[in-house]
Amino acid sequence: MDLEDSGIEAVLSGVRMPRRNSITERWVRTCRRELLDRTSI
């Protein structure tokens, strides 16, 4: 089974993308922690 057969588009990334991914993950984790600490459910 190929990605294109499943309707999934493969996007090629640059060489520096793994570093950007770690920065983005850290930012999202910080936002979740900050927002959930201040939200009353």
Side-chain angles (χ1 to χ4, degrees):
M1 184 177 232
D2 196 9
L3 289 177
E4 293 173 356
D5 294 339
S6 300
I8 299 172
E9 179 183 352
V11 178
L12 300 177
S13 61
V15 176
R16 300 180 128 203
M17 291 306 289
R19 176 175 160 79
R20 176 58 58 193
N21 190 28
S22 65
I23 292 171
T24 303
E25 286 178 2
R26 188 178 308 127
W27 182 80
V28 168
R29 189 171 47 230
T30 301
C31 287
R32 282 183 180 171
R33 186 176 58 239
E34 293 294 324
L35 291 174
L36 290 176
D37 284 348
R38 290 168 175 74
T39 303
S40 65
I41 299 174

